[in-house]
Amino acid sequence: MDPYKIDFFALRVLSMVFELKSFSAAADALGVNQSVVSYAVNRMRDVFDDPLFLRQAGGIVPTDRCIAEIGEVDAMLQRFETMITPQDLDPDKITKNFRVSCNYFERIWIMAPVIKELRKSAPKSQLTIMHSGTQGASHLVQGAADLLIGPMRPEEDGYYCRSLLKDSYVCVMDPSNPLASRRLTLERYIGAQHVAVAYGDGWTSDYLDQLPTESRNELTPVVTVPSPGDIQTIVQGSDLIATLPRKFAMTLLPDLTMAEFPLPSSLEIGLVWSARTHGSVTQKWFRDLVVSAVKSL
């Protein structure tokens, strides 16, 4: 078929099927019959000369071509949305599904007030939160997420960043730990038994970069976990200590003892988004809402 006969609805259907991994779920989200979704996807298959989605284990999976093109499809939809969105946006009429990539700390500490504010300001909207691990930048590029929240800063061009929250590091331990009753010097800290959080390959917590090189090389965790949500139960009743953002550590008290990190430390949580959503009036409104909600903490 003539590719110039493809309309924005077909692009939106393709994006929705990719996001929901289901023709029927996409039809429900768009408020149309499943046959309409199937027809639109078939038109896109003709354009790309590719099946786009394959049946597998009772569901569907996108093809490599679909994965490669979906970011550009979403970018086109965002640009079109920007064109047709009134500059005096009415939040009560927003029906968009905002997609945020973040990790455990951000979900616990930041997203709760964001959800409350979003439900109050734009009750017809939706919010999807996904685990970023070390793949947050990829989520933005692939169009899986509109916004990345965390300490990650992509080094490549094409990203925008905005500071959201500044924090520092502390150490938590069981009250019976001998270090709980002593000043935590750098020497005692390095010699302690550590439990560390690693969100994925290549992950390095900011506090490690703030240690002297020789100290960092001597610090070897005896336990490594994929999420700080495991910390409390692991540290309790043990000789382990964990280094955590202060605001998160405060939620663990009084069960654990908190001690100052032995050196001045800093942690900055930011908002990151790509050029794909930068010009969207709706996305800018959502970013401002996140910043405003966090200020209320």
mmCIF file of all heavy atoms in Angstrom, residues 53-84:
data_model
loop_
_atom_site.group_PDB
_atom_site.id
_atom_site.type_symbol
_atom_site.label_atom_id
_atom_site.label_comp_id
_atom_site.label_asym_id
_atom_site.label_seq_id
_atom_site.Cartn_x
_atom_site.Cartn_y
_atom_site.Cartn_z
ATOM 1 N N PHE A 53 4.651 -8.155 14.823
ATOM 2 C CA PHE A 53 4.372 -8.912 16.046
ATOM 3 C C PHE A 53 4.227 -10.387 15.694
ATOM 4 O O PHE A 53 3.628 -10.732 14.673
ATOM 5 C CB PHE A 53 3.099 -8.414 16.743
ATOM 6 C CG PHE A 53 3.151 -6.970 17.150
ATOM 7 C CD1 PHE A 53 2.539 -6.003 16.368
ATOM 8 C CD2 PHE A 53 3.827 -6.577 18.293
ATOM 9 C CE1 PHE A 53 2.587 -4.661 16.726
ATOM 10 C CE2 PHE A 53 3.880 -5.241 18.667
ATOM 11 C CZ PHE A 53 3.264 -4.287 17.877
ATOM 12 N N LEU A 54 4.764 -11.246 16.575
ATOM 13 C CA LEU A 54 4.706 -12.683 16.363
ATOM 14 C C LEU A 54 4.040 -13.351 17.563
ATOM 15 O O LEU A 54 4.224 -12.915 18.701
ATOM 16 C CB LEU A 54 6.110 -13.265 16.167
ATOM 17 C CG LEU A 54 6.923 -12.713 14.986
ATOM 18 C CD1 LEU A 54 8.337 -13.264 15.026
ATOM 19 C CD2 LEU A 54 6.239 -13.060 13.665
ATOM 20 N N ARG A 55 3.256 -14.387 17.300
ATOM 21 C CA ARG A 55 2.645 -15.157 18.372
ATOM 22 C C ARG A 55 3.704 -16.008 19.058
ATOM 23 O O ARG A 55 4.507 -16.653 18.400
ATOM 24 C CB ARG A 55 1.546 -16.064 17.816
ATOM 25 C CG ARG A 55 0.371 -15.314 17.221
ATOM 26 C CD ARG A 55 -0.483 -14.683 18.300
ATOM 27 N NE ARG A 55 -1.589 -13.897 17.741
ATOM 28 C CZ ARG A 55 -2.432 -13.191 18.473
ATOM 29 N NH1 ARG A 55 -2.292 -13.178 19.796
ATOM 30 N NH2 ARG A 55 -3.395 -12.500 17.908
ATOM 31 N N GLN A 56 3.687 -15.985 20.392
ATOM 32 C CA GLN A 56 4.668 -16.782 21.139
ATOM 33 C C GLN A 56 4.138 -17.061 22.536
ATOM 34 O O GLN A 56 3.808 -16.132 23.278
ATOM 35 C CB GLN A 56 6.010 -16.041 21.229
ATOM 36 C CG GLN A 56 7.087 -16.790 21.992
ATOM 37 C CD GLN A 56 8.414 -16.059 21.954
ATOM 38 O OE1 GLN A 56 8.901 -15.686 20.899
ATOM 39 N NE2 GLN A 56 8.994 -15.831 23.111
ATOM 40 N N ALA A 57 4.053 -18.343 22.910
ATOM 41 C CA ALA A 57 3.670 -18.769 24.262
ATOM 42 C C ALA A 57 2.384 -18.092 24.738
ATOM 43 O O ALA A 57 2.309 -17.556 25.838
ATOM 44 C CB ALA A 57 4.799 -18.485 25.244
ATOM 45 N N GLY A 58 1.377 -18.099 23.875
ATOM 46 C CA GLY A 58 0.090 -17.558 24.265
ATOM 47 C C GLY A 58 -0.007 -16.050 24.228
ATOM 48 O O GLY A 58 -1.029 -15.488 24.611
ATOM 49 N N GLY A 59 1.030 -15.370 23.754
ATOM 50 C CA GLY A 59 1.005 -13.913 23.661
ATOM 51 C C GLY A 59 1.662 -13.454 22.379
ATOM 52 O O GLY A 59 1.801 -14.218 21.416
ATOM 53 N N ILE A 60 2.050 -12.195 22.325
ATOM 54 C CA ILE A 60 2.739 -11.672 21.149
ATOM 55 C C ILE A 60 4.031 -10.993 21.577
ATOM 56 O O ILE A 60 4.132 -10.469 22.697
ATOM 57 C CB ILE A 60 1.862 -10.670 20.367
ATOM 58 C CG1 ILE A 60 1.505 -9.462 21.248
ATOM 59 C CG2 ILE A 60 0.609 -11.343 19.829
ATOM 60 C CD1 ILE A 60 0.825 -8.343 20.465
ATOM 61 N N VAL A 61 5.013 -11.027 20.699
ATOM 62 C CA VAL A 61 6.283 -10.348 20.930
ATOM 63 C C VAL A 61 6.608 -9.517 19.697
ATOM 64 O O VAL A 61 6.304 -9.924 18.565
ATOM 65 C CB VAL A 61 7.429 -11.343 21.217
ATOM 66 C CG1 VAL A 61 7.208 -12.077 22.527
ATOM 67 C CG2 VAL A 61 7.583 -12.345 20.080
ATOM 68 N N PRO A 62 7.197 -8.334 19.872
ATOM 69 C CA PRO A 62 7.544 -7.498 18.719
ATOM 70 C C PRO A 62 8.754 -8.066 17.980
ATOM 71 O O PRO A 62 9.641 -8.669 18.577
ATOM 72 C CB PRO A 62 7.860 -6.138 19.357
ATOM 73 C CG PRO A 62 8.313 -6.477 20.741
ATOM 74 C CD PRO A 62 7.525 -7.685 21.158
ATOM 75 N N THR A 63 8.790 -7.865 16.691
ATOM 76 C CA THR A 63 9.947 -8.269 15.898
ATOM 77 C C THR A 63 11.075 -7.253 16.082
ATOM 78 O O THR A 63 10.873 -6.159 16.627
ATOM 79 C CB THR A 63 9.590 -8.353 14.407
ATOM 80 O OG1 THR A 63 9.229 -7.030 13.950
ATOM 81 C CG2 THR A 63 8.422 -9.310 14.179
ATOM 82 N N ASP A 64 12.253 -7.585 15.609
ATOM 83 C CA ASP A 64 13.384 -6.652 15.698
ATOM 84 C C ASP A 64 13.083 -5.356 14.951
ATOM 85 O O ASP A 64 13.468 -4.275 15.390
ATOM 86 C CB ASP A 64 14.648 -7.301 15.124
ATOM 87 C CG ASP A 64 15.178 -8.431 15.999
ATOM 88 O OD1 ASP A 64 14.760 -8.506 17.173
ATOM 89 O OD2 ASP A 64 16.002 -9.226 15.513
ATOM 90 N N ARG A 65 12.405 -5.466 13.814
ATOM 91 C CA ARG A 65 12.069 -4.263 13.049
ATOM 92 C C ARG A 65 11.109 -3.374 13.830
ATOM 93 O O ARG A 65 11.247 -2.138 13.851
ATOM 94 C CB ARG A 65 11.435 -4.662 11.709
ATOM 95 C CG ARG A 65 11.019 -3.469 10.826
ATOM 96 C CD ARG A 65 12.212 -2.700 10.303
ATOM 97 N NE ARG A 65 11.859 -1.488 9.615
ATOM 98 C CZ ARG A 65 11.482 -1.428 8.330
ATOM 99 N NH1 ARG A 65 11.397 -2.545 7.610
ATOM 100 N NH2 ARG A 65 11.202 -0.269 7.774
ATOM 101 N N CYS A 66 10.146 -4.000 14.489
ATOM 102 C CA CYS A 66 9.187 -3.233 15.295
ATOM 103 C C CYS A 66 9.902 -2.501 16.425
ATOM 104 O O CYS A 66 9.652 -1.313 16.673
ATOM 105 C CB CYS A 66 8.120 -4.162 15.842
ATOM 106 S SG CYS A 66 6.803 -3.341 16.773
ATOM 107 N N ILE A 67 10.801 -3.212 17.108
ATOM 108 C CA ILE A 67 11.550 -2.600 18.213
ATOM 109 C C ILE A 67 12.396 -1.441 17.712
ATOM 110 O O ILE A 67 12.506 -0.391 18.362
ATOM 111 C CB ILE A 67 12.433 -3.660 18.898
ATOM 112 C CG1 ILE A 67 11.552 -4.718 19.580
ATOM 113 C CG2 ILE A 67 13.374 -3.028 19.913
ATOM 114 C CD1 ILE A 67 12.319 -5.897 20.131
ATOM 115 N N ALA A 68 12.984 -1.608 16.522
ATOM 116 C CA ALA A 68 13.859 -0.567 15.971
ATOM 117 C C ALA A 68 13.086 0.690 15.590
ATOM 118 O O ALA A 68 13.617 1.802 15.668
ATOM 119 C CB ALA A 68 14.612 -1.115 14.759
ATOM 120 N N GLU A 69 11.817 0.540 15.177
ATOM 121 C CA GLU A 69 11.060 1.678 14.664
ATOM 122 C C GLU A 69 10.137 2.320 15.686
ATOM 123 O O GLU A 69 9.684 3.437 15.484
ATOM 124 C CB GLU A 69 10.216 1.235 13.449
ATOM 125 C CG GLU A 69 11.009 0.639 12.310
ATOM 126 C CD GLU A 69 11.994 1.628 11.697
ATOM 127 O OE1 GLU A 69 11.828 2.855 11.908
ATOM 128 O OE2 GLU A 69 12.917 1.177 11.000
ATOM 129 N N ILE A 70 9.848 1.634 16.805
ATOM 130 C CA ILE A 70 8.811 2.126 17.715
ATOM 131 C C ILE A 70 9.193 3.454 18.359
ATOM 132 O O ILE A 70 8.328 4.292 18.639
ATOM 133 C CB ILE A 70 8.485 1.066 18.800
ATOM 134 C CG1 ILE A 70 7.137 1.373 19.459
ATOM 135 C CG2 ILE A 70 9.603 0.991 19.831
ATOM 136 C CD1 ILE A 70 5.962 1.239 18.518
ATOM 137 N N GLY A 71 10.483 3.675 18.594
ATOM 138 C CA GLY A 71 10.910 4.955 19.168
ATOM 139 C C GLY A 71 10.572 6.120 18.260
ATOM 140 O O GLY A 71 10.090 7.170 18.718
ATOM 141 N N GLU A 72 10.778 5.944 16.954
ATOM 142 C CA GLU A 72 10.459 7.004 16.001
ATOM 143 C C GLU A 72 8.945 7.180 15.861
ATOM 144 O O GLU A 72 8.452 8.302 15.716
ATOM 145 C CB GLU A 72 11.065 6.680 14.635
ATOM 146 C CG GLU A 72 10.916 7.787 13.612
ATOM 147 C CD GLU A 72 11.567 9.090 14.051
ATOM 148 O OE1 GLU A 72 12.595 9.044 14.740
ATOM 149 O OE2 GLU A 72 11.026 10.172 13.696
ATOM 150 N N VAL A 73 8.213 6.068 15.935
ATOM 151 C CA VAL A 73 6.754 6.154 15.893
ATOM 152 C C VAL A 73 6.239 6.974 17.072
ATOM 153 O O VAL A 73 5.395 7.870 16.908
ATOM 154 C CB VAL A 73 6.126 4.738 15.910
ATOM 155 C CG1 VAL A 73 4.617 4.821 16.158
ATOM 156 C CG2 VAL A 73 6.400 4.023 14.595
ATOM 157 N N ASP A 74 6.753 6.670 18.264
ATOM 158 C CA ASP A 74 6.327 7.422 19.447
ATOM 159 C C ASP A 74 6.727 8.886 19.356
ATOM 160 O O ASP A 74 6.001 9.769 19.815
ATOM 161 C CB ASP A 74 6.925 6.796 20.710
ATOM 162 C CG ASP A 74 6.190 5.534 21.136
ATOM 163 O OD1 ASP A 74 5.073 5.318 20.653
ATOM 164 O OD2 ASP A 74 6.730 4.772 21.953
ATOM 165 N N ALA A 75 7.906 9.145 18.757
ATOM 166 C CA ALA A 75 8.349 10.535 18.604
ATOM 167 C C ALA A 75 7.408 11.299 17.682
ATOM 168 O O ALA A 75 7.075 12.468 17.941
ATOM 169 C CB ALA A 75 9.783 10.561 18.062
ATOM 170 N N MET A 76 6.973 10.655 16.608
ATOM 171 C CA MET A 76 6.025 11.299 15.691
ATOM 172 C C MET A 76 4.704 11.587 16.396
ATOM 173 O O MET A 76 4.111 12.665 16.217
ATOM 174 C CB MET A 76 5.799 10.407 14.473
ATOM 175 C CG MET A 76 7.031 10.238 13.588
ATOM 176 S SD MET A 76 6.790 8.980 12.314
ATOM 177 C CE MET A 76 5.497 9.743 11.339
ATOM 178 N N LEU A 77 4.243 10.640 17.191
ATOM 179 C CA LEU A 77 2.990 10.848 17.929
ATOM 180 C C LEU A 77 3.126 11.982 18.937
ATOM 181 O O LEU A 77 2.193 12.778 19.114
ATOM 182 C CB LEU A 77 2.591 9.552 18.637
ATOM 183 C CG LEU A 77 2.121 8.405 17.736
ATOM 184 C CD1 LEU A 77 1.973 7.116 18.539
ATOM 185 C CD2 LEU A 77 0.794 8.753 17.057
ATOM 186 N N GLN A 78 4.288 12.054 19.598
ATOM 187 C CA GLN A 78 4.505 13.139 20.564
ATOM 188 C C GLN A 78 4.534 14.488 19.868
ATOM 189 O O GLN A 78 3.967 15.474 20.361
ATOM 190 C CB GLN A 78 5.819 12.902 21.322
ATOM 191 C CG GLN A 78 5.791 11.752 22.300
ATOM 192 C CD GLN A 78 5.035 12.105 23.566
ATOM 193 O OE1 GLN A 78 4.575 13.225 23.747
ATOM 194 N NE2 GLN A 78 4.880 11.130 24.454
ATOM 195 N N ARG A 79 5.185 14.543 18.703
ATOM 196 C CA ARG A 79 5.241 15.827 17.978
ATOM 197 C C ARG A 79 3.843 16.242 17.508
ATOM 198 O O ARG A 79 3.479 17.421 17.553
ATOM 199 C CB ARG A 79 6.203 15.704 16.795
ATOM 200 C CG ARG A 79 7.675 15.647 17.204
ATOM 201 C CD ARG A 79 8.592 15.875 16.018
ATOM 202 N NE ARG A 79 8.556 14.757 15.081
ATOM 203 C CZ ARG A 79 9.368 13.705 15.151
ATOM 204 N NH1 ARG A 79 10.253 13.614 16.129
ATOM 205 N NH2 ARG A 79 9.298 12.744 14.247
ATOM 206 N N PHE A 80 3.059 15.259 17.067
ATOM 207 C CA PHE A 80 1.701 15.572 16.632
ATOM 208 C C PHE A 80 0.851 16.026 17.814
ATOM 209 O O PHE A 80 0.055 16.965 17.707
ATOM 210 C CB PHE A 80 1.073 14.340 15.971
ATOM 211 C CG PHE A 80 -0.301 14.585 15.426
ATOM 212 C CD1 PHE A 80 -0.513 15.486 14.392
ATOM 213 C CD2 PHE A 80 -1.403 13.923 15.953
ATOM 214 C CE1 PHE A 80 -1.791 15.728 13.891
ATOM 215 C CE2 PHE A 80 -2.677 14.149 15.465
ATOM 216 C CZ PHE A 80 -2.870 15.055 14.425
ATOM 217 N N GLU A 81 1.044 15.358 18.960
ATOM 218 C CA GLU A 81 0.313 15.756 20.170
ATOM 219 C C GLU A 81 0.643 17.190 20.548
ATOM 220 O O GLU A 81 -0.234 17.961 20.959
ATOM 221 C CB GLU A 81 0.660 14.821 21.321
ATOM 222 C CG GLU A 81 -0.011 15.194 22.633
ATOM 223 C CD GLU A 81 0.556 14.438 23.823
ATOM 224 O OE1 GLU A 81 0.891 13.256 23.664
ATOM 225 O OE2 GLU A 81 0.666 15.045 24.895
ATOM 226 N N THR A 82 1.924 17.547 20.412
ATOM 227 C CA THR A 82 2.344 18.910 20.721
ATOM 228 C C THR A 82 1.647 19.912 19.815
ATOM 229 O O THR A 82 1.226 20.998 20.245
ATOM 230 C CB THR A 82 3.861 19.041 20.578
ATOM 231 O OG1 THR A 82 4.497 18.132 21.484
ATOM 232 C CG2 THR A 82 4.327 20.458 20.902
ATOM 233 N N MET A 83 1.503 19.556 18.544
ATOM 234 C CA MET A 83 0.864 20.448 17.577
ATOM 235 C C MET A 83 -0.605 20.684 17.898
ATOM 236 O O MET A 83 -1.116 21.797 17.737
ATOM 237 C CB MET A 83 1.001 19.860 16.163
ATOM 238 C CG MET A 83 2.419 19.827 15.625
ATOM 239 S SD MET A 83 2.520 18.872 14.081
ATOM 240 C CE MET A 83 1.352 19.756 13.048
ATOM 241 N N ILE A 84 -1.304 19.635 18.378
ATOM 242 C CA ILE A 84 -2.749 19.757 18.547
ATOM 243 C C ILE A 84 -3.166 20.071 19.981
ATOM 244 O O ILE A 84 -4.342 20.305 20.240
ATOM 245 C CB ILE A 84 -3.457 18.456 18.108
ATOM 246 C CG1 ILE A 84 -3.046 17.280 19.002
ATOM 247 C CG2 ILE A 84 -3.172 18.149 16.645
ATOM 248 C CD1 ILE A 84 -3.810 15.994 18.705
#
